Amino acid sequence: MFCICGRVNIGKSALINAIRGLEDNDPKAAKVGDGEVTTKISKFTWEHKNLYDFAGYGTLTEPDDDYFMRKGLCNFHGIVLLRDSAIQQADINFARKAIEFNVPLVFVQSKMDEVMGRKKRDREISEINATSIKFIIKKLKQNHRDYMGKNAPDLADIPCFFISSDSMRELMKLQKSLGNNKFQDSLIPDGTFLYEEDKLINQLLIMMYQSCEQEEKLEEVTKRAEKISQAEEEIVTMEEDANEIVDRNERMLIMEETIEKLRAELIESTTGDLKSEDDKSCDSNEDDENDEFEVFEVPEETENYEDDIVENKKV
């Protein structure tokens, strides 16, 4: 997702139409005009990507103090910030917000055809051609770097491109007709001059590719984070199982100690019972030894019993 932002009536919608190679009166084009024409966020498609057109900031309906956060621009993959010939403090504040949230951003000054016409009227250049265009662009770039270095050195490295929406539109039409063959010249066959439109398109494509790489890296990091989360959950489960095993072992040790105590008590009580039984047995034996035996007298008749047997044998 890429958005075109800037102050009101600075040419945001016209630039979107130009990038898409559409005339401003095309039914699929963004609405253009004087004043606050864009009042809500509009989405357009280019190179299989989404370009968003935002209402300009710096008005009563769209104040610039909290514009960046209010519009949720921190969620975009890249921002094209249109600036006028004199960059404003609101533009600097906007760019700093983009840097704070690590959103890629480029400055763009459009309406270069008007700038070149004014330079010719002021006799700064004698005519508009490739040489004078390079001369003016080099001078404008140096002025931009000097101003940013003095007033916003933290933004001095952000590139700034100088373009014309009309030139951009004709370039995109030509490149569409040429296909993969790149057109490299400072003058389109119909007489339209080129400024830095091709450089801006290349920068946008680079930002898009970088955003795709970041998305892939983010997806990879997300997958790794999910794996780490799963591993942590497994570790927690293992720790719970280990704690449960430890609790079981502790309970078993307690049970074993209890069994040992019961066994010792049982042995102690059994030994005491056996001792008491032995004592009782010893007492009974002593009683038996002290008993008096009854003496029986053998009758006289039995004394001659063997003699009688002998006599009978003889007979």
Side-chain angles (χ1 to χ4, degrees):
M1 301 189 302
F2 291 82
C3 62
I4 312 297
C5 296
R7 296 193 303 279
V8 65
N9 201 26
I10 201 170
K12 300 181 296 299
S13 300
L15 178 57
I16 288 180
N17 295 336
I19 291 175
R20 299 173 69 211
L22 300 177
E23 297 292 339
D24 291 339
N25 58 358
D26 191 291
K28 297 180 180 179
K31 293 181 180 181
V32 297
D34 296 328
E36 295 183 61
V37 178
T38 304
T39 57
K40 62 180 182 179
I41 301 173
S42 302
K43 182 178 73 172
F44 304 93
T45 303
W46 173 69
E47 293 289 335
H48 308 291
K49 302 295 181 183
N50 295 322
L51 293 176
Y52 288 82
D53 189 11
F54 281 79
Y57 55 78
T59 63
L60 295 176
T61 56
E62 294 291 351
D64 54 30
D65 52 354
D66 60 345
Y67 182 89
F68 190 93
M69 298 304 298
R70 189 172 69 253
K71 297 298 184 180
L73 299 178
C74 56
N75 298 311
F76 281 77
H77 299 107
I79 297 175
V80 175
L81 180 59
L82 268 71
R83 46 152 293 180
D84 206 344
S85 56
I87 192 167
Q88 304 294 325
Q89 184 62 44
D91 303 328
I92 293 177
N93 295 338
F94 184 100
R96 281 175 173 161
K97 275 293 182 182
I99 298 301
E100 177 183 347
F101 287 92
N102 198 28
V103 180
L105 177 139
V106 294
F107 287 112
V108 172
Q109 180 177 334
S110 63
K111 304 179 181 180
M112 274 299 296
D113 45 358
E114 297 179 7
V115 172
M116 294 302 297
R118 188 169 59 251
K119 297 293 183 181
K120 183 178 180 181
R121 287 193 303 270
D122 295 341
R123 300 181 183 276
E124 191 171 344
I125 56 174
S126 58
E127 60 178 333
I128 301 175
N129 53 32
T131 303
S132 62
I133 288 174
K134 290 181 180 178
F135 171 75
I136 294 300
I137 289 179
K138 182 179 180 180
K139 189 174 181 180
L140 292 174
K141 282 184 174 292
Q142 186 61 48
N143 291 339
H144 175 79
R145 284 193 294 267
D146 293 342
Y147 182 86
M148 299 301 285
K150 181 179 179 180
N151 298 281
D154 52 325
L155 306 177
D157 294 333
I158 297 178
C160 182
F161 300 95
F162 298 86
I163 69 163
S164 166
S165 293
D166 292 336
S167 299
M168 175 70 78
R169 181 183 298 106
E170 297 304 320
L171 175 64
M172 299 308 292
K173 288 181 180 180
L174 181 61
Q175 286 189 344
K176 187 178 293 185
S177 63
L178 292 175
N180 294 329
N181 298 320
K182 294 183 178 180
F183 177 78
Q184 296 180 348
D185 201 349
S186 60
L187 180 65
I188 295 178
D190 66 350
T192 303
F193 287 100
L194 290 179
Y195 302 95
E196 291 189 308
E197 292 80 12
D198 55 341
K199 294 180 180 179
L200 174 59
I201 292 299
N202 290 335
Q203 182 65 33
L204 292 178
L205 293 174
I206 290 173
M207 292 166 64
M208 290 181 179
Y209 294 142
Q210 288 177 345
S211 68
C212 292
E213 292 178 355
Q214 290 177 357
E215 290 293 332
E216 292 176 356
K217 290 179 180 179
L218 180 61
E219 185 177 357
E220 184 179 354
V221 170
T222 302
K223 290 181 180 179
R224 290 181 180 178
E226 290 177 353
K227 291 182 179 179
I228 292 173
S229 179
Q230 292 177 357
E232 290 177 347
E233 291 178 357
E234 293 177 358
I235 291 173
V236 171
T237 303
M238 293 173 64
E239 289 178 349
E240 292 177 352
D241 294 340
N243 291 332
E244 185 177 354
I245 293 172
V246 171
D247 293 339
R248 288 180 182 176
N249 292 336
E250 290 178 353
R251 289 196 297 269
M252 290 179 65
L253 289 174
I254 294 172
M255 291 176 63
E256 290 177 356
E257 291 176 358
T258 305
I259 291 172
E260 288 296 329
K261 290 180 180 179
L262 292 174
R263 182 182 288 114
E265 292 177 357
L266 181 61
I267 292 173
E268 185 178 355
S269 62
T270 305
T271 304
D273 293 340
L274 290 174
K275 286 182 179 180
S276 61
E277 289 294 333
D278 291 341
D279 293 340
K280 290 180 180 179
S281 176
C282 292
D283 293 340
S284 61
N285 290 334
E286 290 178 357
D287 292 339
D288 292 340
E289 290 177 358
N290 294 327
D291 288 342
E292 293 182 358
F293 293 96
E294 183 178 358
V295 177
F296 293 94
E297 293 182 358
V298 179
E300 294 180 357
E301 295 178 357
T302 59
E303 293 179 357
N304 298 322
Y305 183 73
E306 293 181 355
D307 294 337
D308 291 339
I309 289 176
V310 172
E311 288 295 328
N312 287 333
K313 285 183 178 180
K314 291 180 179 181
V315 174

